[in-house]
Amino acid sequence: MANAPVPAAPAGTPPQPIGRVAEWFPADSYPPKARAKSEEGKTVYAVDLDAQGRVLRCNIVQSSGSDLLDSTTCTQVISNGRFRPARDAGGKPVPGRYQGSMRWQLVEGAASAE
């Protein structure tokens, strides 16, 4: 009887948000023009981070259907997002990528990061 293969050890750790992601999107961040047009939707984004955990760029992975909500998502993440850097298997900080989403809703509480 053969032994079951042992899964490989993780290559390191991915970057981690510092604090609550929802705090990157204060209630007043809902774009007034999008609110006036009743635009809602979920924006999936990815950010590339340097070895210190600083945001280098933000890309939209899946659009909410609103250019304004998508661009506001990246603006808020770039301005307010803080990260612990990714680390390699030896624990050394390395560049990384983080993916998240933001659901923009015109209801009490306005918006929620997921």
Coordinates of all heavy atoms in Angstrom, one line a residue, residues 32-100:
P32 N -21.5 60.9 -5.9 CA -22.8 61.6 -6.1 C -23.5 61.4 -7.4 O -24.7 61.2 -7.5 CB -22.5 63.1 -5.8 CG -21.3 63.1 -5.0 CD -20.5 61.9 -5.4
K33 N -22.7 61.4 -8.5 CA -23.2 61.2 -9.8 C -23.8 59.8 -10.0 O -24.8 59.6 -10.6 CB -22.2 61.5 -10.9 CG -21.9 63.0 -11.1 CD -20.9 63.2 -12.2 CE -20.6 64.7 -12.3 NZ -19.6 65.0 -13.3
A34 N -23.1 58.8 -9.4 CA -23.6 57.4 -9.5 C -24.9 57.3 -8.6 O -25.8 56.6 -9.0 CB -22.5 56.5 -8.9
R35 N -24.9 58.0 -7.5 CA -26.1 58.0 -6.6 C -27.3 58.6 -7.4 O -28.4 58.0 -7.4 CB -25.8 58.7 -5.4 CG -27.0 58.7 -4.4 CD -26.7 59.5 -3.1 NE -25.5 59.0 -2.4 CZ -25.5 58.0 -1.5 NH1 -26.7 57.3 -1.3 NH2 -24.4 57.6 -0.9
A36 N -27.0 59.7 -8.1 CA -28.1 60.4 -8.8 C -28.6 59.5 -10.0 O -29.8 59.6 -10.3 CB -27.6 61.7 -9.4
K37 N -27.8 58.7 -10.5 CA -28.2 57.8 -11.6 C -28.7 56.4 -11.1 O -29.0 55.5 -11.9 CB -27.0 57.5 -12.6 CG -26.6 58.7 -13.4 CD -25.4 58.3 -14.2 CE -24.9 59.5 -15.1 NZ -23.8 59.1 -15.9
S38 N -28.7 56.2 -9.8 CA -29.1 55.0 -9.1 C -28.2 53.8 -9.6 O -28.7 52.7 -9.7 CB -30.6 54.7 -9.4 OG -31.4 55.7 -8.8
E39 N -27.0 54.1 -9.7 CA -26.0 53.0 -10.1 C -25.6 52.2 -8.9 O -25.3 52.8 -7.9 CB -24.8 53.6 -10.8 CG -25.1 54.3 -12.1 CD -23.9 54.9 -12.8 OE1 -22.8 55.1 -12.1 OE2 -24.0 55.1 -14.0
E40 N -25.7 50.9 -9.1 CA -25.2 50.0 -8.1 C -24.5 48.8 -8.7 O -24.5 48.7 -9.9 CB -26.5 49.3 -7.4 CG -27.3 50.3 -6.6 CD -28.5 49.6 -5.9 OE1 -29.1 48.8 -6.5 OE2 -28.7 49.9 -4.7
G41 N -23.7 48.1 -7.9 CA -23.1 46.9 -8.5 C -21.9 46.5 -7.6 O -21.5 47.1 -6.7
K42 N -21.3 45.4 -8.0 CA -20.2 44.8 -7.3 C -18.9 44.9 -8.2 O -18.9 44.5 -9.3 CB -20.4 43.3 -7.0 CG -19.3 42.7 -6.3 CD -19.6 41.2 -6.0 CE -18.4 40.5 -5.4 NZ -18.8 39.0 -5.1
T43 N -17.9 45.6 -7.7 CA -16.6 45.7 -8.4 C -15.6 44.8 -7.7 O -15.4 44.8 -6.5 CB -16.1 47.2 -8.2 OG1 -17.1 48.1 -8.8 CG2 -14.8 47.3 -9.0
V44 N -15.0 43.9 -8.5 CA -13.9 43.1 -8.1 C -12.6 43.7 -8.5 O -12.5 44.1 -9.7 CB -14.0 41.6 -8.6 CG1 -12.9 40.8 -8.1 CG2 -15.4 41.0 -8.2
Y45 N -11.7 43.9 -7.6 CA -10.5 44.6 -7.9 C -9.3 43.8 -7.5 O -9.4 42.9 -6.6 CB -10.4 46.0 -7.2 CG -10.5 45.9 -5.7 CD1 -9.3 45.8 -4.9 CD2 -11.7 45.9 -5.0 CE1 -9.3 45.6 -3.6 CE2 -11.7 45.8 -3.6 CZ -10.6 45.6 -2.9 OH -10.6 45.5 -1.6
A46 N -8.1 44.1 -8.0 CA -6.9 43.5 -7.6 C -5.8 44.6 -7.5 O -5.8 45.5 -8.4 CB -6.4 42.4 -8.6
V47 N -5.0 44.5 -6.5 CA -4.0 45.5 -6.3 C -2.6 44.8 -6.3 O -2.5 43.8 -5.7 CB -4.1 46.4 -5.1 CG1 -5.3 47.4 -5.2 CG2 -4.3 45.6 -3.8
D48 N -1.7 45.4 -7.0 CA -0.3 45.0 -7.0 C 0.4 45.8 -5.9 O 0.3 47.0 -5.8 CB 0.4 45.2 -8.3 CG -0.2 44.3 -9.4 OD1 -0.6 43.2 -9.1 OD2 -0.4 44.8 -10.5
L49 N 1.2 45.1 -5.0 CA 1.8 45.7 -3.9 C 3.3 45.5 -4.0 O 3.8 44.5 -4.5 CB 1.3 45.0 -2.6 CG -0.2 45.0 -2.4 CD1 -0.6 44.0 -1.4 CD2 -0.7 46.4 -2.1
D50 N 4.1 46.4 -3.5 CA 5.5 46.3 -3.4 C 5.9 45.5 -2.2 O 5.0 45.1 -1.4 CB 6.2 47.6 -3.5 CG 6.0 48.5 -2.3 OD1 5.5 48.1 -1.2 OD2 6.4 49.7 -2.4
A51 N 7.2 45.3 -2.0 CA 7.6 44.5 -0.8 C 7.4 45.1 0.5 O 7.5 44.4 1.6 CB 9.1 44.1 -1.0
Q52 N 7.0 46.4 0.6 CA 6.7 47.0 1.8 C 5.2 47.1 2.0 O 4.7 47.6 3.0 CB 7.2 48.5 1.8 CG 8.7 48.6 2.0 CD 9.4 48.2 0.7 OE1 9.1 48.6 -0.4 NE2 10.5 47.4 0.9
G53 N 4.4 46.5 1.1 CA 2.9 46.4 1.2 C 2.2 47.7 0.7 O 1.0 47.8 0.9
R54 N 3.0 48.5 0.0 CA 2.4 49.7 -0.6 C 1.7 49.4 -1.9 O 2.2 48.6 -2.7 CB 3.4 50.8 -0.8 CG 4.0 51.4 0.5 CD 4.9 52.5 0.2 NE 6.1 52.0 -0.5 CZ 7.3 52.1 -0.1 NH1 7.6 52.6 1.1 NH2 8.3 51.6 -0.8
V55 N 0.6 50.0 -2.2 CA -0.2 49.8 -3.4 C 0.6 50.4 -4.6 O 0.8 51.6 -4.5 CB -1.6 50.3 -3.3 CG1 -2.4 50.2 -4.6 CG2 -2.4 49.7 -2.2
L56 N 0.9 49.6 -5.6 CA 1.5 50.2 -6.8 C 0.5 50.5 -7.9 O 0.6 51.5 -8.6 CB 2.5 49.1 -7.4 CG 3.6 48.7 -6.5 CD1 4.4 47.6 -7.1 CD2 4.5 49.9 -6.2
R57 N -0.5 49.6 -8.0 CA -1.6 49.9 -9.0 C -2.8 49.0 -8.6 O -2.7 48.0 -7.9 CB -1.1 49.6 -10.4 CG -0.9 48.2 -10.8 CD -0.2 48.0 -12.1 NE 1.0 47.1 -11.9 CZ 2.2 47.6 -11.7 NH1 2.5 48.8 -11.5 NH2 3.2 46.7 -11.5
C58 N -3.9 49.5 -9.2 CA -5.2 48.8 -8.9 C -5.8 48.5 -10.3 O -5.8 49.3 -11.2 CB -6.2 49.7 -8.1 SG -7.8 49.0 -7.9
N59 N -6.3 47.3 -10.4 CA -7.0 46.9 -11.7 C -8.4 46.3 -11.4 O -8.6 45.7 -10.4 CB -6.2 45.7 -12.4 CG -4.8 46.2 -12.7 OD1 -4.5 47.0 -13.5 ND2 -3.8 45.6 -12.0
I60 N -9.3 46.6 -12.3 CA -10.6 46.1 -12.2 C -10.6 44.7 -12.8 O -10.3 44.5 -13.9 CB -11.7 47.0 -12.8 CG1 -11.6 48.4 -12.2 CG2 -13.1 46.4 -12.8 CD1 -11.9 48.4 -10.7
V61 N -11.0 43.7 -12.0 CA -11.1 42.3 -12.4 C -12.5 42.0 -13.0 O -12.6 41.3 -14.0 CB -10.7 41.3 -11.3 CG1 -10.9 39.9 -11.6 CG2 -9.3 41.6 -10.7
Q62 N -13.5 42.6 -12.3 CA -14.9 42.4 -12.8 C -15.6 43.7 -12.5 O -15.6 44.2 -11.4 CB -15.5 41.3 -12.0 CG -17.0 41.0 -12.4 CD -17.6 39.9 -11.6 OE1 -17.0 39.1 -11.1 NE2 -18.9 40.0 -11.5
S63 N -16.1 44.3 -13.6 CA -16.8 45.6 -13.5 C -18.2 45.5 -12.8 O -18.9 44.5 -12.9 CB -17.0 46.2 -14.9 OG -17.7 47.4 -14.8
S64 N -18.5 46.5 -12.1 CA -19.9 46.7 -11.5 C -20.9 47.0 -12.6 O -22.1 47.0 -12.4 CB -19.8 47.8 -10.5 OG -19.6 49.0 -11.1
G65 N -20.4 47.4 -13.8 CA -21.2 47.9 -14.8 C -21.2 49.4 -14.9 O -21.8 50.1 -15.7
S66 N -20.6 50.1 -13.9 CA -20.5 51.5 -13.8 C -19.0 51.9 -13.8 O -18.3 51.6 -12.8 CB -21.2 52.0 -12.5 OG -20.8 53.4 -12.3
D67 N -18.6 52.7 -14.8 CA -17.2 53.1 -14.8 C -16.9 54.0 -13.6 O -15.8 53.9 -13.0 CB -16.9 54.0 -16.1 CG -16.9 53.1 -17.3 OD1 -16.7 51.9 -17.2 OD2 -17.0 53.7 -18.4
L68 N -17.9 54.8 -13.1 CA -17.7 55.6 -12.0 C -17.5 54.8 -10.7 O -16.6 55.1 -9.9 CB -18.9 56.6 -11.9 CG -18.7 57.7 -10.8 CD1 -17.5 58.5 -11.0 CD2 -19.9 58.7 -10.9
L69 N -18.3 53.8 -10.5 CA -18.2 53.0 -9.3 C -16.8 52.2 -9.3 O -16.1 52.1 -8.3 CB -19.3 52.0 -9.1 CG -20.7 52.7 -8.9 CD1 -21.8 51.6 -8.8 CD2 -20.7 53.5 -7.6
D70 N -16.5 51.7 -10.5 CA -15.2 51.0 -10.7 C -14.0 51.9 -10.3 O -13.1 51.5 -9.6 CB -15.1 50.4 -12.1 CG -16.1 49.3 -12.4 OD1 -16.7 48.8 -11.4 OD2 -16.2 49.0 -13.5
S71 N -14.0 53.1 -10.9 CA -12.9 54.0 -10.7 C -12.8 54.5 -9.3 O -11.7 54.6 -8.7 CB -12.9 55.2 -11.7 OG -14.0 56.0 -11.5
T72 N -14.0 54.7 -8.7 CA -14.0 55.1 -7.3 C -13.5 54.0 -6.4 O -12.8 54.2 -5.4 CB -15.4 55.5 -6.8 OG1 -15.9 56.6 -7.7 CG2 -15.5 55.9 -5.4
T73 N -13.8 52.7 -6.7 CA -13.3 51.6 -5.9 C -11.7 51.7 -5.9 O -11.1 51.6 -4.8 CB -13.7 50.3 -6.5 OG1 -15.2 50.2 -6.5 CG2 -13.1 49.1 -5.8
C74 N -11.1 51.8 -7.1 CA -9.7 51.8 -7.1 C -9.1 53.1 -6.4 O -8.1 53.0 -5.6 CB -9.1 51.8 -8.5 SG -9.0 50.1 -9.1
T75 N -9.8 54.2 -6.5 CA -9.3 55.4 -5.9 C -9.3 55.2 -4.3 O -8.4 55.6 -3.7 CB -10.2 56.6 -6.2 OG1 -10.1 56.8 -7.7 CG2 -9.8 57.9 -5.5
Q76 N -10.4 54.6 -3.8 CA -10.5 54.4 -2.4 C -9.5 53.4 -1.9 O -8.9 53.6 -0.8 CB -11.9 54.0 -2.0 CG -13.0 55.0 -2.2 CD -12.7 56.3 -1.4 OE1 -12.5 57.4 -1.9 NE2 -12.8 56.1 0.0
V77 N -9.2 52.3 -2.6 CA -8.3 51.3 -2.2 C -6.9 51.9 -2.3 O -6.1 51.7 -1.3 CB -8.4 50.1 -3.1 CG1 -7.2 49.1 -2.8 CG2 -9.7 49.4 -2.9
I78 N -6.5 52.7 -3.3 CA -5.2 53.3 -3.4 C -5.0 54.3 -2.3 O -3.9 54.3 -1.6 CB -5.0 53.9 -4.8 CG1 -4.9 52.8 -5.8 CG2 -3.8 54.8 -4.8 CD1 -5.0 53.4 -7.3
S79 N -6.0 55.1 -2.0 CA -5.9 56.1 -0.9 C -5.9 55.6 0.5 O -5.2 56.0 1.4 CB -7.0 57.1 -1.1 OG -7.0 57.8 -2.3
N80 N -6.7 54.6 0.7 CA -7.0 54.1 2.1 C -6.5 52.7 2.4 O -6.4 52.4 3.6 CB -8.5 54.2 2.4 CG -9.1 55.6 2.2 OD1 -8.4 56.6 2.5 ND2 -10.3 55.7 1.7
G81 N -6.2 51.9 1.4 CA -5.8 50.5 1.7 C -4.4 50.5 2.3 O -3.5 51.1 1.9
R82 N -4.3 49.7 3.3 CA -3.0 49.4 4.0 C -2.8 47.9 4.1 O -3.8 47.2 4.5 CB -2.9 50.1 5.4 CG -3.1 51.6 5.4 CD -2.0 52.3 4.7 NE -2.2 53.8 4.6 CZ -2.6 54.4 3.5 NH1 -2.9 53.7 2.4 NH2 -2.8 55.7 3.5
F83 N -1.6 47.5 3.9 CA -1.3 46.0 3.8 C -0.1 45.6 4.5 O 0.9 46.4 4.5 CB -1.2 45.6 2.4 CG -2.4 45.7 1.5 CD1 -2.7 46.9 0.9 CD2 -3.4 44.7 1.4 CE1 -3.8 47.1 0.1 CE2 -4.5 44.9 0.7 CZ -4.7 46.1 0.0
R84 N -0.1 44.4 5.1 CA 1.1 43.8 5.6 C 1.6 43.1 4.3 O 0.9 42.5 3.6 CB 0.8 42.7 6.6 CG 0.5 43.3 8.0 CD 0.3 42.3 9.0 NE -0.3 42.9 10.2 CZ -1.6 43.1 10.4 NH1 -2.5 42.7 9.5 NH2 -2.1 43.7 11.5
P85 N 2.9 43.2 4.0 CA 3.4 42.6 2.7 C 3.3 41.1 2.7 O 3.3 40.4 3.7 CB 4.9 43.1 2.7 CG 5.3 43.4 4.1 CD 4.0 43.8 4.8
A86 N 3.3 40.6 1.4 CA 3.5 39.2 1.2 C 4.9 38.8 1.7 O 5.8 39.6 1.8 CB 3.3 38.9 -0.2
R87 N 5.0 37.5 2.1 CA 6.3 37.0 2.5 C 6.6 35.7 1.8 O 5.7 34.9 1.6 CB 6.3 36.8 4.0 CG 6.2 38.1 4.8 CD 6.4 38.0 6.2 NE 6.3 39.3 6.9 CZ 7.3 40.2 7.0 NH1 8.5 39.9 6.6 NH2 7.0 41.4 7.6
D88 N 7.9 35.5 1.5 CA 8.3 34.3 0.8 C 8.4 33.2 1.9 O 8.2 33.4 3.1 CB 9.6 34.5 0.0 CG 10.8 34.8 0.9 OD1 10.8 34.6 2.1 OD2 11.8 35.2 0.3
A89 N 8.8 32.0 1.5 CA 8.9 30.9 2.4 C 9.9 31.1 3.5 O 9.7 30.6 4.6 CB 9.3 29.6 1.6
G90 N 10.9 32.0 3.3 CA 11.8 32.3 4.4 C 11.4 33.4 5.3 O 12.1 33.8 6.2
G91 N 10.2 34.0 5.0 CA 9.7 35.1 5.8 C 10.1 36.5 5.3 O 9.8 37.5 6.0
K92 N 10.8 36.6 4.2 CA 11.3 37.8 3.7 C 10.1 38.5 2.9 O 9.4 37.9 2.2 CB 12.4 37.6 2.7 CG 12.9 38.9 2.0 CD 14.0 38.5 1.0 CE 14.3 39.8 0.2 NZ 15.2 39.5 -1.0
P93 N 9.9 39.8 3.2 CA 8.8 40.6 2.5 C 9.1 40.6 1.0 O 10.3 40.8 0.5 CB 8.9 42.0 3.0 CG 9.6 41.8 4.3 CD 10.6 40.7 4.2
V94 N 8.1 40.3 0.2 CA 8.2 40.3 -1.3 C 6.9 41.0 -1.9 O 5.9 41.2 -1.2 CB 8.2 38.8 -1.8 CG1 9.5 38.2 -1.4 CG2 7.0 38.0 -1.4
P95 N 7.0 41.4 -3.1 CA 5.9 42.0 -3.8 C 4.7 41.0 -3.8 O 5.0 39.7 -3.8 CB 6.3 42.3 -5.2 CG 7.8 42.4 -5.1 CD 8.2 41.4 -4.0
G96 N 3.5 41.4 -3.9 CA 2.4 40.5 -3.9 C 1.2 41.1 -4.5 O 1.2 42.3 -5.0
R97 N 0.1 40.4 -4.5 CA -1.2 40.8 -5.1 C -2.3 40.5 -4.2 O -2.3 39.4 -3.6 CB -1.4 40.2 -6.5 CG -2.6 40.6 -7.2 CD -2.5 40.2 -8.7 NE -2.6 41.3 -9.5 CZ -3.4 41.4 -10.5 NH1 -4.1 40.4 -10.9 NH2 -3.5 42.5 -11.2
Y98 N -3.2 41.4 -4.0 CA -4.4 41.2 -3.2 C -5.6 41.4 -4.0 O -5.7 42.4 -4.8 CB -4.4 42.2 -2.0 CG -5.7 42.1 -1.2 CD1 -5.8 41.2 -0.2 CD2 -6.7 43.0 -1.4 CE1 -6.9 41.1 0.6 CE2 -7.9 43.0 -0.6 CZ -8.0 42.0 0.4 OH -9.1 41.9 1.1
Q99 N -6.6 40.6 -3.9 CA -7.9 40.8 -4.6 C -9.0 40.9 -3.6 O -9.1 40.2 -2.6 CB -8.1 39.6 -5.6 CG -9.4 39.8 -6.4 CD -9.5 38.7 -7.5 OE1 -8.5 38.5 -8.3 NE2 -10.6 38.1 -7.6
G100 N -9.9 41.8 -3.9 CA -11.1 42.0 -3.0 C -12.3 42.5 -3.9 O -12.2 42.6 -5.1

